[in-house]
Amino acid sequence: MALIAKASGGSIAPQLEEGVYTGVCTRLIDLGEQFNEKFGKINHRVKIGWDIAGEKIQLTDGTEVNRTMHKEYTLSLHDRSGLRRDLQSWRGKSFTPEELDGFDLKQILGAPCQIQIIHNDKGYADISAIMAMPKGMPKPLGEYPQIYFDLDDSVTFSEYEGLPDWIKDSIKNAVKLSETQFGKYLSEKGEIVPYTDGYTDVDANEDDLPF
């Protein structure tokens, strides 16, 4: 946790080149209920992050930390969901009916995979695919601190302070933040909790989601 660079710290690093990299899952961050303006829907979102093996970011103070790539998902294993697609590709197998009734995402922390990077129209590196490690390939060696943050698990709240500012902003934009344990925690600290109403819950239709 302490080794994660905040956005305000700055970094000196070009975009990752397109290609396939080895990664280790090191971040699982609950973003809460987020309103999607494009689709006019509210969905529970999570952000997953991977440290890219052998790739470092140099901060403005000269410190080097692991380079991390993130991808955001709707928290759903619906048959059309991006999370289900990527997890099945990563695991190399389909979910069982029992797993589809409730799969604990914490199981992915520390798990290695291969990640395909492509550049989008703006020239930024995006994760286009997540794949299982080839048989016989060893797990990447190195220091990969893990971050797990859950809006309703007070044990994880200490992780919040070390998150980059842009992720903190996403968390604070949760539609019903004040109804979560973390929202109550922020209120007790005297921090402002953003809007928590003004939208009504809408059941997610994965056909309409942008992945």
Side-chain angles (χ1 to χ4, degrees):
M1 177 61 188
L3 298 179
I4 305 306
K6 292 186 179 181
S8 58
S11 63
I12 305 171
Q15 295 292 318
L16 277 177
E17 295 182 2
E18 293 185 317
V20 177
Y21 296 82
T22 301
V24 176
C25 182
T26 56
R27 291 169 177 79
L28 178 57
I29 302 167
D30 182 8
L31 299 179
E33 301 286 328
Q34 298 284 331
F35 178 70
N36 185 312
E37 293 185 4
K38 180 177 179 180
F39 295 96
K41 294 182 180 295
I42 296 173
N43 302 108
H44 195 161
R45 306 285 286 181
V46 294
K47 190 176 291 293
I48 299 175
W50 296 263
D51 280 21
I52 307 301
E55 298 290 335
K56 299 286 187 178
I57 288 180
Q58 184 179 21
L59 305 182
T60 52
D61 63 3
T63 303
E64 282 193 338
V65 296
N66 297 330
R67 181 193 285 264
T68 302
M69 294 290 294
H70 295 86
K71 191 169 182 179
E72 188 174 316
Y73 299 91
T74 294
L75 185 60
S76 168
L77 292 181
H78 185 280
D79 58 3
R80 294 175 182 265
S81 75
L83 180 61
R84 180 172 173 175
R85 179 198 64 217
D86 282 355
L87 287 179
Q88 290 187 152
S89 176
W90 183 355
R91 287 155 42 103
K93 62 180 181 180
S94 298
F95 283 101
T96 65
E98 292 75 19
E99 288 174 325
L100 290 174
D101 283 338
F103 180 77
D104 187 356
L105 281 181
K106 288 177 69 176
Q107 296 180 58
I108 68 178
L109 284 170
C113 62
Q114 289 192 310
I115 295 175
Q116 185 174 42
I117 299 294
I118 63 169
H119 290 173
N120 60 29
D121 293 341
K122 296 181 179 180
Y124 294 117
D126 282 342
I127 296 174
S128 65
I130 301 168
M131 301 158 285
M133 295 281 286
K135 289 185 177 181
M137 180 178 287
K139 179 178 177 179
L141 299 176
E143 182 73 14
Y144 301 106
Q146 295 178 11
I147 297 175
Y148 172 64
F149 175 78
D150 185 335
L151 287 170
D152 283 310
D153 184 353
S154 61
V155 174
T156 70
F157 292 172
S158 60
E159 301 283 15
Y160 174 81
E161 295 304 329
L163 294 175
D165 290 341
W166 58 277
I167 294 182
K168 288 182 180 180
D169 290 342
S170 292
I171 293 171
K172 286 188 173 183
N173 268 336
V175 173
K176 293 188 176 182
L177 185 60
S178 66
E179 297 181 13
T180 67
Q181 291 301 313
F182 183 68
K184 296 173 183 176
Y185 167 79
L186 288 182
S187 295
E188 290 172 357
K189 290 179 60 179
E191 296 190 28
I192 297 174
V193 178
Y195 67 86
T196 57
D197 52 23
Y199 300 101
T200 55
D201 287 319
V202 180
D203 290 335
N205 181 348
E206 292 290 335
D207 295 344
D208 295 333
L209 295 177
F211 50 71

